[in-house]
Amino acid sequence: MSYKQIIRMQKTMTKQVGGYHHPRTQPRKPLKISIRQQAEHLLHGRLTTRDLELVRALIGVGMLTRQQIQRLFFGNHPKVASNRLARLYHYHFLDRSSYWLEDMGPEGFEPCYIYTVGAVGLEAFALRMGVGRGDVPFTPARYTLSREDHFLLHDLRISEMFTQLQVGAKEIGEELLWFNESAAILRREQEELVRPDGIAVLIGAQRHTPFFIEMDRGYTDWPKKVAAYEKARQQSPWPVTLRVDSWRPSVFPTVLCVVPAALEGMVQKEIESKRPQTKFYIQSWERFLAADIFVNWYDSSSGQIVALLPEMGNRAVTQPL
């Protein structure tokens, strides 16, 4: 039995107060028992539902900053978040890194620890889900958090998209369904046609609204990317690939493109020049961090600023920025 690479978060308590001593200044001690024994030990009363939901989120995006985790799971309680994360790190439930602190500020992130799933966390999650650890769709080698991880700053942007959509969906009473990078690939038989950074599906009372995610730090070949989406729209069985439960999309999802501000105008022109049938919504990274996630997207097909959901039109700017 495999655990599907589609992430649907469960409800957790916003705040869980505990008399934790913050051990962050202490070096982590090596495990004295096996990974499985440690996981079984933690599952007997030391882990909360929120801890396991954090692993579910990390399966979806690979890594999250301390600040993102706080927004997702701890609300306005940074000390509670820091204490709990430090304890989970010392349990070997999570791994963390501070190699990239100096780079995070210029990228728009609060400099803080970056977390990923530890071996014990994967084992505990697998045991709780009733699957083998190898069946959990997470590749630790892909998210090393090392200084040599050249994808890390790109991956943090994907994590920020996930965080903003998850928090935003909760605020408007909707649910977010997230396909991780592996689940989001569109293929024609064995040929990979396009690999989005993820797929987000906003689920309301009577509708599902799916979006492909593309986070660009300035290295994307947009004419090639547009062609790939057009080919996938025409040649891949995307309604089947994106099917969830009894729902399947009837319209090819819009692509949400977040790009550097200096390249925003150029990307708009490159996409518009191709006249794709696929819809592309564009926003600069800088505005993405500062604004409401649901509004101020540039629709390359109409040249207008739009909202992600029709009922939010009155929250959007009606003229190009």
Side-chain angles (χ1 to χ4, degrees):
M1 176 180 178
S2 295
Y3 182 77
K4 200 165 186 177
Q5 308 123 303
I6 301 175
I7 309 306
R8 175 179 272 160
M9 305 300 295
Q10 306 298 315
K11 291 183 179 180
T12 60
M13 294 178 63
T14 300
K15 181 179 180 182
Q16 180 172 326
V17 178
Y20 300 124
H21 167 64
H22 199 322
R24 61 185 171 186
T25 58
Q26 303 172 11
R28 184 166 72 174
K29 297 178 182 179
L31 281 176
K32 295 182 179 180
I33 55 179
S34 71
I35 290 171
R36 187 179 182 88
Q37 287 173 324
Q38 175 73 349
E40 291 173 339
H41 174 66
L42 294 180
L43 285 170
H44 284 85
R46 289 182 176 267
L47 295 178
T48 66
T49 300
R50 182 178 58 198
D51 298 334
L52 292 167
E53 286 301 296
L54 173 53
V55 173
R56 193 188 302 274
L58 288 167
I59 290 171
V61 291
M63 63 182 69
L64 289 161
T65 70
R66 195 274 309 158
Q67 201 262 356
Q68 289 167 343
I69 294 171
Q70 177 195 321
R71 287 150 59 199
L72 286 167
F73 296 103
F74 295 88
N76 296 319
H77 304 286
K79 289 185 178 180
V80 176
S82 294
N83 288 345
R84 186 58 182 168
L85 291 174
R87 186 164 293 277
L88 293 175
Y89 168 72
H90 283 271
Y91 284 160
H92 293 259
F93 188 83
L94 300 177
D95 290 333
R96 72 185 184 191
S97 171
S98 59
Y99 285 116
W100 291 85
L101 287 177
E102 293 182 0
D103 303 87
M104 293 175 72
E107 291 283 326
F109 296 106
E110 175 185 324
C112 58
Y113 279 121
I114 302 168
Y115 287 86
T116 190
V117 187
V120 172
L122 279 179
E123 186 69 33
F125 186 83
L127 287 170
R128 178 56 58 89
M129 297 302 299
V131 301
R133 194 187 345 164
D135 293 323
V136 178
F138 182 83
T139 306
R142 170 67 175 80
Y143 302 101
T144 64
L145 306 188
S146 69
R147 191 65 195 176
E148 290 71 40
D149 186 353
H150 300 296
F151 293 104
L152 187 142
L153 293 175
H154 171 265
D155 291 338
L156 284 183
R157 293 191 178 205
I158 301 170
S159 299
E160 184 63 24
M161 172 67 83
F162 171 80
T163 300
Q164 289 203 30
L165 285 172
Q166 180 69 34
V167 172
K170 183 178 179 181
E171 289 176 349
I172 63 174
E174 300 210 353
E175 183 180 9
L176 174 70
L177 195 65
W178 179 270
F179 291 59
N180 70 11
E181 182 183 61
S182 297
I185 299 171
L186 297 184
R187 295 182 171 90
R188 179 184 57 193
E189 297 180 349
Q190 300 303 312
E191 178 188 2
E192 180 178 315
L193 300 176
V194 69
R195 181 187 288 257
D197 288 321
I199 297 174
V201 184
L202 293 169
I203 304 175
Q206 297 181 338
R207 53 143 176 80
H208 292 57
T209 309
F211 300 96
F212 294 114
I213 307 299
E214 289 290 344
M215 304 298 282
D216 177 20
R217 294 186 64 237
Y219 306 109
T220 299
D221 183 335
W222 281 102
K224 183 177 180 181
K225 181 71 71 173
V226 171
Y229 273 103
E230 289 290 88
K231 186 175 182 180
R233 182 182 58 80
Q234 297 167 1
Q235 299 182 14
S236 73
W238 54 266
V240 176
T241 303
L242 305 184
R243 181 180 58 195
V244 178
D245 300 327
S246 61
W247 171 82
R248 66 169 64 188
S250 58
V251 178
F252 195 63
T254 297
V255 185
L256 301 185
C257 313
V258 180
V259 303
L263 301 179
E264 187 176 12
M266 182 189 72
V267 172
Q268 291 174 4
K269 291 178 181 179
E270 287 186 339
I271 293 177
E272 288 168 347
S273 69
K274 297 300 178 182
R275 299 182 180 275
Q277 293 188 40
T278 303
K279 278 194 172 185
F280 289 82
Y281 289 177
I282 306 163
Q283 191 171 121
S284 73
W285 171 246
E286 291 75 7
R287 192 162 62 251
F288 170 79
L289 288 177
D292 182 337
I293 180 68
F294 294 114
V295 301
N296 292 337
W297 291 89
Y298 178 83
D299 180 352
S300 64
S301 63
S302 69
Q304 296 296 310
I305 300 299
V306 299
L308 297 188
L309 301 175
E311 61 269 27
M312 293 181 172
N314 60 352
R315 293 168 63 176
V317 178
T318 57
Q319 297 297 323
L321 297 178

